[in-house]
Amino acid sequence: MTLRLCACTQGLLSMLKRLRSSPDKELRILLLGLDNAGKTTLMKKLASEDVSHITPTQGFNIKSVQADGMKLNVWDIGGQRKIRPYWRNYFEFTDILIYVVDSADRKRVDETGFELNELLSDDKLAGVPVLVYANKQDLALAAKASEIAQELNLHLIRDRPWQIQACSGIRGEGIKEGLEWISQNVKKK
Amino acid sequence: MWFYLIRSYIFWHLRKVIKWFLRKTTKLCELQRICYAQPVGACRTRSVEQSLRNSSSPQIRGLITVLDARASDRNYYSGRSILVPNAVSTITRVKRIDHCEYERFTNVLGQCVDNIWSYMQLVEEIKTSAAIQYDCSNDVHEKSLLLLWNELMPNNKLENRVTKQWQDIGFQGDDPKTDFRGMGILGLDNLVYFASKYTYLARCALSRSMHPIHGYAFAIVGINLTSMALGLVVDGSAKTHFYNKRNPSEYEDFNEFYCYLFWEFDKFWLNAKPKDLMEFATHREQFENTIRQKLEKSNTVFLIDVPLDNTTDMLDR
């Protein structure tokens, strides 16, 4: 009963909040990266859902999330090699590209760099701001965000705003900072 | 809010009055009426479960607490030969059940009790297994993974432990271990069971999964189906199937349930003729809905539709 009461008040509160600051911005966010980078975990964490039983994404998932006064429509597309050719079908009308990197997967640094370059050189994504999450910072073997930035040659990007953000999807650390960057860069747009 | 409060208050008292009235007129307690009136299966077991859980008797409440604790510590199976008769005798004593009614009632009640708490332990077993991460330094895990390959691809030797070949059976990368992150060893157990017990069906599904347009990633879909099966069992929807099987549920029954889901999903996917594998989420949801609808019918019990004898015949041919 108390649970129900809590849910009621929470529902009411969030409704009031929405009324007060109805989100004027609706953003289409594309979440890409290699398989096992942690895209689905990040998306679920954004939506405050349980992240303990994430299975590999076959196809894609979509979620609408309210954050920082924005309505984010997040498209989480599977990262396995077989699915990568389909990524292009989801490029249109993208406001922000979030590229997720498994910072502990040293063996596939080149592969993830290659895929990112492919994305950045695609006409359909021209000028779209890119946020790179250096994920899995909770793991002991994880490379620092600055190392990842270096390895991906992010400093060579001139045609769009970009940002690298260290985070841990499982612990939920660093995600908020990335969202703040998104909201600032959308305002500038 | 108030409406719910008042409604549940009225129901609570009404239930007591009805129970008292029926007890006086039929000279049978609620549990007896359930056990005699309802045929063996999910309907009866569910009603017994509800009746026991709603009981206000302190002895029965105590009994339930003990059984729940045993099941959630995964200690019920090992003690069932003592726990079940004890439970039955406590219930018959509390309900002051007539001696001439005794045997007929106790057998049925014992079955129900065993089914209810076996299912509860099964839930714990599979949750525990899903929480065990795949570990490359664990021989059992490694052997199990290689067995999966050998069952599915008897004519192709695995060149390396880490190799692109794993993608041929539908893993995402060169090392399957990362794909088990969400479902742990449960995901591997399920796949291995399907590939070794229903080898013919598994190979059929694998070859269909390789279709250039209507294909899917066999292993990844398999792990997603483990997640679906786990969800159905944990939220209690699958009780219909497990209570309708005559024997109390064990780990192997979960594997069987999984094989049913996999084989049915393969057919469902093929029938849907999806444009490409990006449609997976939609079809997965539709498939889960059809399974849930079936589980809502009280007489549902899932049987894999190819008899075991045929599978070996077909393999020989």
Side-chain angles (χ1 to χ4, degrees):
Chain A
M1 201 48 78
T2 36
L3 258 179
R4 191 173 279 156
L5 192 69
C6 274
C8 265
T9 32
Q10 258 175 15
L12 209 70
L13 274 174
S14 66
M15 210 165 83
L16 282 173
K17 243 187 226 168
R18 246 176 280 157
L19 278 177
R20 202 161 32 137
S21 60
S22 61
D24 40 353
K25 288 189 190 68
E26 192 170 329
L27 298 181
R28 181 183 161 106
I29 294 193
L30 196 57
L31 206 54
L32 296 175
L34 303 187
D35 52 278
N36 198 41
K39 299 175 288 297
T40 309
T41 303
L42 275 173
M43 184 182 75
K44 294 235 171 183
K45 207 73 193 187
L46 279 175
S48 313
E49 287 176 21
D50 175 39
V51 293
S52 52
H53 293 300
I54 308 286
T55 51
T57 305
Q58 173 86 100
F60 65 92
N61 306 303
I62 319 173
K63 238 178 223 333
S64 284
V65 185
Q66 299 277 348
D68 275 11
M70 307 175 284
K71 186 184 178 203
L72 311 177
N73 297 316
V74 186
W75 293 66
D76 157 37
I77 324 273
Q80 74 181 102
R81 201 180 283 272
K82 233 183 183 172
I83 287 182
R84 288 178 213 161
Y86 295 103
W87 283 2
R88 290 199 89 229
N89 303 348
Y90 300 85
F91 286 175
E92 255 171 319
F93 310 116
T94 296
D95 294 302
I96 302 273
L97 169 66
I98 298 183
Y99 194 74
V100 187
V101 178
D102 174 353
S103 312
D105 188 359
R106 305 289 180 108
K107 281 187 205 144
R108 294 204 292 170
V109 172
D110 290 343
E111 190 180 340
T112 195
F114 171 80
E115 294 295 347
L116 177 61
N117 270 325
E118 289 284 296
L119 294 172
L120 296 179
S121 54
D122 197 291
D123 290 345
K124 278 189 187 166
L125 287 178
V128 172
V130 57
L131 166 66
V132 178
Y133 270 125
N135 193 21
K136 307 202 186 178
Q137 291 296 322
D138 50 294
L139 297 180
L141 291 173
K144 281 188 197 139
S146 54
E147 288 173 59
I148 301 273
Q150 193 113 44
E151 278 158 350
L152 298 182
N153 289 325
L154 294 183
H155 55 278
L156 297 180
I157 300 176
R158 303 257 181 262
D159 57 348
R160 70 190 77 214
W162 64 269
Q163 170 82 344
I164 180 132
Q165 174 64 49
C167 79
S168 161
I170 292 245
R171 292 194 187 154
E173 292 160 0
I175 300 176
K176 210 170 155 263
E177 288 79 353
L179 287 181
E180 276 160 16
W181 181 82
I182 289 178
S183 84
Q184 283 161 15
N185 277 272
V186 168
K187 271 171 206 153
K188 272 186 215 154
K189 210 168 65 167
Chain B
M1 178 69 198
W2 285 110
F3 172 73
Y4 279 116
L5 262 175
I6 293 165
R7 200 178 69 171
S8 52
Y9 181 78
I10 292 174
F11 268 117
W12 179 247
H13 282 272
L14 208 62
R15 186 175 167 269
K16 273 189 174 171
V17 173
I18 294 170
K19 269 176 70 178
W20 175 84
F21 179 75
L22 285 172
R23 170 130 212 182
K24 287 292 161 199
T25 48
T26 61
K27 298 226 172 354
L28 295 171
C29 75
E30 186 183 40
L31 281 171
Q32 282 172 298
R33 292 195 302 273
I34 294 166
C35 290
Y36 296 150
Q38 302 205 17
V40 58
C43 232
R44 182 203 271 169
T45 313
R46 274 205 154 107
S47 305
V48 167
E49 188 172 7
Q50 202 184 3
S51 169
L52 287 175
R53 292 209 180 272
N54 282 334
S55 175
S56 51
S57 140
Q59 286 107 308
I60 291 187
R61 279 176 173 271
L63 172 77
I64 288 173
T65 318
V66 170
L67 288 170
D68 282 353
R70 292 293 291 243
S72 52
D73 292 343
R74 299 192 292 137
N75 263 330
Y76 170 80
Y77 292 163
S78 56
R80 61 150 60 99
S81 57
I82 300 164
L83 289 167
V84 174
N86 274 353
V88 170
S89 81
T90 307
I91 295 166
T92 42
R93 202 174 56 243
V94 171
K95 297 286 173 190
R96 277 177 262 127
I97 285 161
D98 197 348
H99 260 289
C100 40
E101 295 285 345
Y102 204 67
E103 208 177 310
R104 213 170 115 210
F105 174 67
T106 49
N107 285 342
V108 174
L109 184 65
Q111 269 172 17
C112 291
V113 166
D114 203 11
N115 276 322
I116 294 164
W117 277 279
S118 296
Y119 185 90
M120 207 173 157
Q121 175 156 349
L122 177 70
V123 170
E124 293 306 318
E125 294 288 342
I126 57 177
K127 282 205 289 201
T128 309
S129 176
I132 301 173
Q133 285 300 308
Y134 186 90
D135 177 6
C136 296
S137 61
N138 185 325
D139 250 11
V140 181
H141 296 181
E142 288 283 295
K143 275 187 187 146
S144 192
L145 185 60
L146 293 179
L147 178 63
L148 176 66
W149 175 269
N150 292 332
E151 292 286 13
L152 290 174
M153 294 291 222
N155 302 321
N156 297 47
K157 233 180 122 48
L158 200 64
E159 287 154 10
N160 252 315
R161 168 59 183 79
V162 176
T163 159
K164 278 200 169 56
Q165 283 176 294
W166 288 113
Q167 292 171 27
D168 298 346
I169 58 169
F171 284 104
Q172 293 196 97
D174 302 347
D175 188 348
K177 83 171 178 201
T178 53
D179 290 339
F180 291 115
R181 59 186 179 250
M183 284 297 122
I185 287 307
L186 186 67
L188 178 60
D189 278 354
N190 281 164
L191 281 170
V192 170
Y193 187 91
F194 184 43
S196 22
K197 179 150 181 208
Y198 298 99
T199 312
Y200 174 73
L201 301 190
R203 286 182 196 165
C204 258
L206 177 65
S207 76
R208 290 206 287 243
S209 81
M210 289 171 178
H211 191 281
I213 298 160
H214 308 308
Y216 55 89
F218 182 87
I220 299 307
V221 165
I223 294 170
N224 273 282
L225 290 172
T226 296
S227 163
M228 184 190 295
L230 179 82
L232 289 167
V233 174
V234 170
D235 75 10
S237 316
K239 277 182 184 174
T240 322
H241 162 74
F242 285 91
Y243 286 173
N244 276 331
K245 287 186 313 78
R246 292 298 174 87
N247 57 322
S249 318
E250 283 179 19
Y251 196 72
E252 185 170 325
D253 298 305
F254 181 74
N255 277 328
E256 288 284 332
F257 177 56
Y258 171 82
C259 294
Y260 171 84
L261 287 182
F262 203 132
W263 188 233
E264 288 300 306
F265 179 80
D266 179 73
K267 288 190 279 179
F268 186 88
W269 178 263
L270 229 69
N271 269 334
K273 289 214 165 46
K275 196 167 85 252
D276 54 51
L277 44 74
M278 299 311 276
E279 291 182 14
F280 177 73
T282 331
H283 291 296
R284 192 208 111 114
E285 200 182 315
Q286 281 171 8
F287 176 67
E288 186 171 340
N289 287 339
T290 60
I291 294 292
R292 283 188 183 278
Q293 276 163 15
K294 283 183 189 168
L295 287 169
E296 273 165 26
K297 287 188 197 138
S298 62
N299 58 351
T300 294
V301 56
F302 293 136
L303 290 171
I304 211 158
D305 67 355
V306 175
L308 196 58
D309 303 346
N310 284 7
T311 53
T312 36
D313 283 358
M314 286 175 199
L315 277 177
D316 291 341
R317 253 176 251 162

